[in-house]
Amino acid sequence: MGEYLHDHPVTPRTDAEKQSVVNRLKRIEGQVRGIQKMVEDDRYCVDILVQISAINAALKKVGFSVAERHTKHCVSDAVKSGEGNEAIEELMEVMKQFSK
Amino acid sequence: MGEYLHDHPVTPRTDAEKQSVVNRLKRIEGQVRGIQKMVEDDRYCVDILVQISAINAALKKVGFSVAERHTKHCVSDAVKSGEGNEAIEELMEVMKQFSK
Amino acid sequence: MGEYLHDHPVTPRTDAEKQSVVNRLKRIEGQVRGIQKMVEDDRYCVDILVQISAINAALKKVGFSVAERHTKHCVSDAVKSGEGNEAIEELMEVMKQFSK
Amino acid sequence: MGEYLHDHPVTPRTDAEKQSVVNRLKRIEGQVRGIQKMVEDDRYCVDILVQISAINAALKKVGFSVAERHTKHCVSDAVKSGEGNEAIEELMEVMKQFSK
């Protein structure tokens, strides 16, 4: 991970925070498996595309909640200790990739 | 499915076609599980966001290959039988959702 | 243009079609000028970002209407004359860029 | 503007900052006019879509630079005065729209 500022969040995630993100990812995992079944059942392409769009939207939602948590903790801590710019540039860089 | 033009593709997917899409989706499923582990291990938020972006990109790639296959078969068949417009409008509608 | 299949659409745009697209682009041009003024007036960054998002959405809408017209005419003609695959691959390639 | 936290950035943009953003927007305005001409000249749809994608990419770039400046100034100031959460939520909300 050497290329990023940290290996872990500055404020560790609570168990409840972890559980909430993991639950959303488990639902997404189930949706991906659902599409595999749709392909195996030779379901209509447009139905499959609608499902893929739904997963993308769900993943973006998880991503934004991770980014918000990151900004409220890691980036804010960096700002308070006078080292905000590097953290903000890192955040913007990853948001650019994410918004593609 | 009543809202779409078909329940199945006009030309059924071959076993090789199904296998190729399913394999890509299995890799994506594995990546989603990988992020769950990253969250449980309390890994750095930016690393997690980079992984989510990678999954989104992989899903879009699968989606475009499904859309291309759909256009080459279902939409093209509709065009040849003089009923292209409805199929093309359906395609554009789903591409709009997909490109969000 | 050598890299694309054509220099012009197979079925020329009617004057009404041209006018409709040009009018939408003129509105977008006005919106872009509006943002310049917001920047000069030192308006709040979030207001500016909201306006940029609105222009992006308007441009995507124009793009999808161009893509739909293209598929109904150029791609459909190619399909009917047995040369659909090349036109469809070109369409998908540009939709990939467009959906970034 | 009542719906946002501010009417103006907390730290006013310098003339050089304004000029840099305005110049980029002027180029984008020129690109939008260029597409109008392409439509009037009945140019190939795919060429037009490529140009629209280029403008979208240029607009996103401007948007990210505005967002970065906003985070380094307005959001950081809010964080330092203990009112970061509201500013961060506002930022994330606009980034969500922006990444569509």
Side-chain angles (χ1 to χ4, degrees), chain C residues 79-94:
Chain C
V79 165
K80 282 175 198 156
S81 60
E83 291 158 354
N85 282 3
E86 204 178 346
I88 290 166
E89 283 156 23
E90 188 187 65
L91 172 69
M92 287 297 146
E93 212 44 63
V94 78

Side-chain angles (χ1 to χ4, degrees), chain C residues 1 4-5 12 16 18 21 28 31 33 38 43 46 50-51 53 58 60 62 67 78 84-85 89 92 94-95 97-98:
Chain C
M1 297 304 104
Y4 299 116
L5 295 177
K18 286 183 188 179
V21 181
I28 290 169
Q31 287 175 290
R33 257 197 310 270
M38 290 176 83
R43 287 276 298 281
V46 171
V50 168
Q51 282 306 309
S53 301
K60 284 219 162 179
V62 174
N85 282 3
E89 283 156 23
M92 287 297 146
V94 78
M95 296 307 284
Q97 275 187 57
F98 187 64

